[in-house]
Amino acid sequence: MSNNASATTSVTTTPPRKSESGLPADLKSTPHAVGSAVVSEHIETVGVDVSDVRPWIARDVKNFKRCGADEMLQRLLEMCADPNQSLPPSQKSTLLDTSLEAVLHLCNGTGVAQKIKQHLTKFCTIENETPSYSEFVEAANLALRELRKVDVAGIPAFQNDDETNIVFHVNDPSFIHQKHQGEKSSRKPDIVVVSHQTAADIIPEGKSKNVYKSACKAPTKNHENFQWVNVRTTFEFKRPKPRLPLPPSAYTKDYVAPDVLYIEYMKETDASDSSSDSSSQSTDSSDLSTDSSDQLTDSSDQSMDSSDRSTDSTSTTGTAQSSHSNSNEAHRLRSNKRGSEHLRSNEPSTNKRSRQDEDRSSEQEERRNKKKKKGSYKPHPVIQNGLYVAEMFAAHTARQHVISFIVNNDIIYLWWFDRQHAIQCAGINFVQDLPRFVVLLFILQRMGYKQWGLHPLFEPEPGYKGKIIVEYEDDTDKDGQDKKGQDKRKRVDLTLDLRSEKRVTHFGLRGRATTVFPVTSKALSALPRRSHFRNKTNELVAKLFWPEEARQSEPEILEEVYKIAKDDLDVLGHVPEMVWFHKFEDTSTAIIRKALGIDDAGSRVLYIIVFKKLEPITTLSGEKFLLAWWQAVKCHRALWKRGVHHRDISPNNLMGYRLRGRFITVLNDFDLSSIEDLLSSIQGGPKGFERTGTVPFMALDLLKPEAIAGQVEHVYRHDAESFIWVLAWICLRYRKGKLLRKGRPLDEWLTVDAMGCLKEKSCFLTMLGTVRPTGSHEKSFKVAFDCLDTIIKSFISPTVPIPEDDEAFKILLQNHVPQKILRRKISL
């Protein structure tokens, strides 16, 4: 498949990777159907407070994958290996064993080793959680300073720079703040890892610049707090046991853990992973169940269930399974040595309008008051950890992965997050198995920005903002050089406007994680235009996102769309203009899963696509809006008839541009679309049963349990119904092109799962006669009302036969649109 395209370059189609059934087994659910992806499109409504986003973060973390501790440590060491040194396979495969041998002197003996053990002893005897932070930080930082002298063949030596000179630092009770499309989040991780320079920078003027002494205390003032962009990772602590077993007299590298421990949170069986993701089950506190009676409960730092107040050193609040039930798992997971979501949100972010700022503050205050009435919410540590990870992802342009930690009693759990799903490493007892903990610290110290997940192109260092150059080989020149040896690689300059108020960011863990922002480029601006494009603007926007590798790519689908546009007037000018794209092959989330022996089905990869800038359709009112909506309906119908099925109709995907004073609608965002001919070419595979769409706008049939289970075919009438929900949504929530700030209906559709949304929308239909649109959308809502009434009368009853596509188009949509709109011709 082509990795890039210009305005004059076609794309070579490559069929998606097949599973045994013909299509990827994980396509029952989609990014917009589950998890935190929906939050990003409606941050203003949902907010970013803990209780606001908890359900979505919960869905993202509950079905994590597992790996052994030694397997993860070995993989991380391989990541840190010096790319300039080619280690033989035999030496590379023993990096963990070599590293354990190299750090043993820091665990046994006198001097620093004795001091580390003293701090661990104090950690074990302190009965409360908060005072234990400083002892943990002291032990970790002592080890880090000594690890500067440790050399392991193949691993780069320590460099005293901002990239690798890291420090553990107490953070709680200080807050770290961040803005998300105008919404402010405030979180307080217990311990953070930052660079030595970052830790020095927050020390108040006039105070001693002893970073390691300062690291044992939290920042004291807001202006001295850390920023998420500088946080490498976080440690979330839970301490249900007042006392822990003390360190042993001596350590060996062959420690055998008595149990393989994992923290469980609403874990479901592997067989139900796909359907459970689709269902997006409710995560109220009453649902915080685990597969063991020994739970890590939904509680604060100082509050735990009585069932967790155990003194058994082998148990943990993180679902410590019994030795019997864990024997097979332990044998499998321990090594031999060890155990032998186009181009901007249509619900805009805050700008400089003081009235809007006042309204926003009023809404935020109202939310806070509601929470106070309900009582303070104390998140489950897995959720808390997920929130910190979401903040670290959001702080960077294209962060590929985040590594974070939960410490429960004396067990440390490493979590690897990327846009596919979470991987949890089996717990390491950092008191009883100190050598492995010190190896983990060695890894963290030798990790560069790339190993921490920062993309070397988009963000070679934290907070980088400037021009980047993307290099790639032109599809027309596979050799990369001509006969004279001249370099034939192409270079595209991109200057990213990441501070723009029009930037759309992402808050979450899984899914496409779409980020959109303005961009300028001399190379792309100089490209010739395709004759059938009509958008005359010179402004460009870049879309960074993580689609599933198994799906046909959006650039490939758009090339098919452009072929249709050449001879269909309903499509011509009504689809997005892709200027250029690039696929970053080395970002595939399958890479680490293959290395760990984990199933990589559903893997994702980073794409960038540059488009001509578009405007939201929600900026329109009256007849202009209804006409624009109808243009999108006709474009969608024409594409569906030609085999291109969009399947994700939402307000954010209806955009447009101005041409000679008229608004030309664009049906946008084709990365969840499918091409009928491609599906039919895969023998034995399901045809159109993948559940795609954005929950609040999905057809009622697709929100039912049988659809969630992948038993309902996605047909044209479902997208037609989505157009109706979008029409009603905009008519009720927008006045004169602006989102209502107060008294806004339908917010609850965003805060429930699929089944909850089905109930909300069904209830809405029963009260349809009492619903009133905004003044600027009264005529448009008359159309929406008639369309919704048709849904009630003709399509809800199970006895009504499913109509053919043409009939569904007429019954649901065309018959209710005024003749003057139907007769209007838009000349391009």
Side-chain angles (χ1 to χ4, degrees):
M1 184 181 69
S2 167
N3 281 347
N4 42 65
S6 71
T8 58
T9 303
S10 62
V11 178
T12 302
T13 300
T14 300
R17 184 175 57 199
K18 300 178 183 179
S19 66
E20 291 181 0
S21 63
L23 281 178
D26 61 335
L27 289 186
K28 288 181 180 179
S29 62
T30 66
H32 273 185
V34 300
S36 55
V38 71
V39 175
S40 300
E41 295 190 358
H42 304 280
I43 286 176
E44 281 201 337
T45 299
V46 178
V48 288
D49 287 338
V50 173
S51 58
D52 292 328
V53 299
R54 174 176 58 96
W56 288 271
I57 297 297
R59 292 162 200 160
D60 285 348
V61 301
K62 66 180 180 180
N63 286 312
F64 61 83
K65 303 299 179 182
R66 305 179 180 205
C67 77
D70 284 2
E71 285 77 6
M72 178 61 83
L73 292 176
Q74 171 68 25
R75 173 56 186 157
L76 293 177
L77 284 165
E78 292 173 7
M79 278 177 46
C80 294
D82 190 339
N84 298 318
Q85 296 184 32
S86 181
L87 287 177
S90 59
Q91 193 172 348
K92 192 172 184 179
S93 64
T94 58
L95 274 174
L96 175 57
D97 194 62
T98 304
S99 300
L100 286 168
E101 193 69 46
V103 304
L104 268 179
H105 71 283
L106 295 180
C107 306
N108 297 318
T110 58
V112 173
Q114 195 63 32
K115 290 181 180 179
I116 292 173
K117 187 176 290 188
Q118 288 171 1
H119 287 297
L120 291 180
T121 300
K122 290 180 181 179
F123 178 92
C124 294
T125 55
I126 291 176
E127 295 190 3
N128 294 320
E129 178 185 313
T130 303
S132 71
Y133 299 160
S134 60
E135 300 300 334
F136 184 87
V137 165
E138 286 269 29
N141 285 339
L142 272 172
L144 283 172
R145 277 179 281 180
E146 287 302 304
L147 283 168
R148 298 175 181 180
K149 310 169 190 175
V150 172
D151 288 320
V152 173
I155 305 297
F158 171 77
Q159 300 293 324
N160 191 12
D161 56 23
D162 195 56
E163 189 166 356
T164 57
N165 190 3
I166 60 170
V167 173
F168 279 61
H169 202 297
V170 174
N171 183 75
D172 184 26
S174 296
F175 284 97
I176 305 178
H177 308 288
Q178 190 163 214
K179 284 289 188 74
H180 306 273
Q181 293 172 213
E183 284 286 312
K184 181 180 178 181
S185 65
S186 300
R187 321 245 182 244
K188 52 176 183 176
D190 297 332
I191 289 175
V192 297
V193 175
V194 296
S195 72
H196 186 279
Q197 185 60 52
T198 298
D201 288 343
I202 70 162
I203 298 177
E205 291 293 330
K207 298 289 185 179
S208 169
K209 290 295 182 178
N210 186 330
V211 168
Y212 295 102
K213 181 179 179 180
S214 175
C216 296
K217 299 179 181 179
T220 56
K221 297 180 180 179
N222 274 345
H223 69 275
E224 295 159 357
N225 285 7
F226 293 114
Q227 300 298 312
W228 280 112
V229 71
N230 294 316
V231 174
R232 305 291 177 86
T233 189
T234 60
F235 283 74
E236 175 68 9
F237 282 70
K238 292 298 162 189
R239 183 67 179 269
K241 298 179 184 177
R243 289 181 176 272
L244 302 170
L246 299 179
S249 58
Y251 292 100
T252 71
K253 65 177 183 178
D254 297 321
Y255 174 82
V256 178
D259 290 291
V260 178
L261 306 176
Y262 292 92
I263 297 176
E264 299 285 3
Y265 179 76
M266 296 186 68
K267 179 68 177 175
E268 299 174 8
T269 62
D270 291 341
S272 64
D273 277 354
S274 296
S275 58
S276 66
D277 277 357
S278 297
S279 62
S280 301
Q281 296 178 0
S282 172
T283 53
D284 289 336
S285 58
S286 59
D287 293 328
L288 301 184
S289 60
T290 67
D291 62 3
S292 168
S293 60
D294 196 5
Q295 301 176 18
L296 187 53
T297 60
D298 182 19
S299 61
S300 69
D301 291 352
Q302 304 300 328
S303 174
M304 281 295 202
D305 265 359
S306 58
S307 61
D308 293 320
R309 301 188 184 278
S310 163
T311 57
D312 180 0
S313 64
T314 64
S315 69
T316 175
T317 52
T319 312
Q321 301 168 347
S322 67
S323 298
H324 175 73
S325 65
N326 260 318
S327 58
N328 292 334
E329 185 79 359
H331 178 74
R332 183 177 70 83
L333 290 173
R334 295 189 191 120
S335 67
N336 291 335
K337 284 287 183 182
R338 201 164 182 216
S340 278
E341 325 239 277
H342 147 48
L343 303 185
R344 64 172 293 196
S345 172
N346 288 349
E347 307 218 342
S349 60
T350 312
N351 7 19
K352 299 179 181 178
R353 298 182 181 87
S354 58
R355 178 61 181 272
Q356 290 184 356
D357 290 338
E358 291 173 5
D359 289 343
R360 178 188 298 280
S361 298
S362 176
E363 285 185 1
Q364 291 174 337
E365 184 64 30
E366 185 178 347
R367 284 205 297 263
R368 283 194 290 268
N369 290 336
K370 286 181 180 178
K371 289 167 192 170
K372 288 178 182 178
K373 291 179 182 178
K374 293 179 181 178
S376 58
Y377 170 69
K378 298 171 182 177
H380 189 288
V382 172
I383 300 301
Q384 195 74 288
N385 181 55
L387 289 166
Y388 302 151
V389 172
E391 297 286 355
M392 287 184 274
F393 268 130
H396 301 276
T397 307
R399 189 157 183 176
Q400 297 174 232
H401 61 260
V402 172
I403 300 170
S404 65
F405 301 90
I406 299 175
V407 179
N408 185 63
N409 292 323
D410 50 5
I411 308 293
I412 186 168
Y413 300 89
L414 182 154
W415 289 72
W416 171 287
F417 289 88
D418 55 29
R419 297 308 186 177
Q420 185 172 349
H421 49 54
I423 302 172
Q424 184 187 165
C425 165
I428 298 172
N429 191 314
F430 60 92
V431 176
Q432 305 302 320
D433 191 7
L434 181 58
R436 279 177 174 77
F437 178 52
V438 176
V439 168
L440 176 60
L441 295 175
F442 175 73
I443 291 169
L444 299 184
Q445 185 185 69
R446 303 305 164 93
M447 285 168 56
Y449 292 135
K450 182 177 181 180
Q451 286 73 39
W452 281 109
L454 274 64
H455 194 285
L457 177 64
F458 291 97
E459 202 164 12
E461 60 186 30
Y464 175 83
K465 294 178 177 67
K467 184 168 72 173
I468 64 174
I469 303 294
V470 183
E471 295 189 359
Y472 62 93
E473 289 188 8
D474 193 345
D475 291 325
T476 59
D477 181 22
K478 299 299 183 183
D479 295 330
Q481 293 184 340
D482 64 11
K483 293 180 181 180
K484 296 180 180 179
Q486 293 177 325
D487 189 356
K488 287 292 186 179
R489 288 177 297 176
K490 301 292 184 180
R491 293 172 178 81
V492 168
D493 63 295
L494 297 173
T495 301
L496 317 178
D497 186 0
L498 301 176
R499 297 182 179 179
S500 170
E501 291 182 351
K502 297 179 180 179
R503 180 188 178 193
V504 178
T505 57
H506 178 268
F507 184 82
L509 305 177
R510 296 174 58 185
R512 291 179 292 176
T514 302
T515 300
V516 181
F517 43 82
V519 64
T520 58
S521 171
K522 292 181 179 179
L524 297 183
S525 296
L527 290 174
R529 301 285 303 280
R530 295 191 188 189
S531 59
H532 54 279
F533 286 145
R534 297 293 185 266
N535 190 351
K536 302 300 183 183
T537 182
N538 293 320
E539 296 185 72
L540 304 174
V541 292
K543 174 182 175 181
L544 275 172
F545 66 117
W546 293 81
E548 294 180 15
E549 289 189 276
R551 289 186 177 275
Q552 191 174 26
S553 72
E554 185 172 14
E556 291 172 334
I557 293 171
L558 284 174
E559 288 299 329
E560 296 300 317
V561 169
Y562 296 154
K563 293 176 185 177
I564 298 171
K566 290 179 180 179
D567 56 14
D568 194 316
L569 293 179
D570 284 337
V571 180
L572 179 64
H574 296 291
V575 290
E577 181 177 345
M578 178 178 64
V579 179
W580 174 84
F581 81 94
H582 185 73
K583 176 184 178 182
F584 297 93
E585 299 277 2
D586 61 345
T587 63
S588 172
T589 59
I591 295 173
I592 188 171
R593 285 161 179 78
K594 290 178 180 177
L596 294 173
I598 296 173
D599 180 18
D600 66 332
S603 62
R604 297 180 179 274
V605 67
L606 180 64
Y607 268 85
I608 183 171
I609 308 181
V610 176
F611 292 96
K612 289 288 185 177
K613 181 185 175 183
L614 298 172
E615 302 174 25
I617 193 177
T618 52
T619 59
L620 304 176
S621 296
E623 189 175 282
K624 291 181 180 180
F625 163 73
L626 188 59
L627 178 60
W629 173 82
W630 182 244
Q631 290 177 49
V633 171
K634 291 196 299 178
C635 176
H636 174 275
R637 178 70 189 124
L639 289 172
W640 192 285
K641 289 164 71 174
R642 298 285 290 271
V644 178
H645 300 170
H646 190 278
R647 306 198 304 175
D648 185 21
I649 303 303
S650 70
N652 292 323
N653 292 340
L654 304 187
M655 309 288 288
Y657 58 91
R658 302 282 174 175
L659 180 64
R660 294 191 290 274
R662 292 186 174 184
F663 188 91
I664 309 301
T665 309
V666 168
L667 180 62
N668 197 44
D669 202 352
F670 283 80
D671 60 350
L672 289 183
S673 304
S674 64
I675 297 179
E676 189 176 31
D677 289 346
L678 178 65
L679 291 177
S680 62
S681 69
I682 302 176
Q683 298 297 322
K687 304 297 186 291
F689 285 82
E690 313 88 58
R691 180 175 168 272
T692 59
T694 304
V695 168
F697 315 105
M698 292 173 69
L700 297 177
D701 281 353
L702 297 182
L703 299 176
K704 296 176 180 178
E706 53 268 32
I708 292 170
Q711 299 169 6
V712 176
E713 182 181 6
H714 191 136
V715 296
Y716 171 75
R717 71 180 180 91
H718 294 136
D719 273 17
E721 185 179 326
S722 291
F723 272 110
I724 299 171
W725 293 115
V726 167
L727 180 61
W729 178 272
I730 296 173
C731 289
L732 296 172
R733 294 170 61 86
Y734 287 83
R735 178 185 293 118
K736 296 182 179 180
K738 303 296 181 184
L739 178 67
L740 296 175
R741 294 291 174 177
K742 295 181 178 180
R744 185 174 55 214
L746 313 185
D747 274 359
E748 58 275 11
W749 293 10
L750 296 168
T751 60
V752 293
D753 57 20
M755 290 296 294
C757 193
L758 174 64
K759 294 177 182 178
E760 292 288 348
K761 292 166 78 171
S762 298
C763 181
F764 171 82
L765 290 177
T766 65
M767 302 175 64
L768 189 57
T770 66
V771 176
R772 296 292 179 265
T774 62
S776 58
H777 283 299
E778 288 182 356
K779 293 183 179 179
S780 297
F781 188 71
K782 175 63 169 65
V783 176
F785 182 95
D786 291 343
C787 293
L788 290 167
D789 192 52
T790 302
I791 294 176
I792 297 171
K793 294 176 179 178
S794 304
F795 289 89
I796 289 184
S797 173
T799 60
V800 175
I802 297 176
E804 296 294 329
D805 291 353
D806 285 339
E807 185 181 0
F809 171 69
K810 293 176 182 178
I811 294 175
L812 279 172
L813 299 167
Q814 188 178 47
N815 291 349
H816 311 293
V817 178
Q819 285 298 313
K820 61 180 179 179
I821 296 294
L822 295 177
R823 289 195 297 264
R824 288 282 293 273
K825 300 291 184 181
I826 302 298
S827 175
L828 297 178

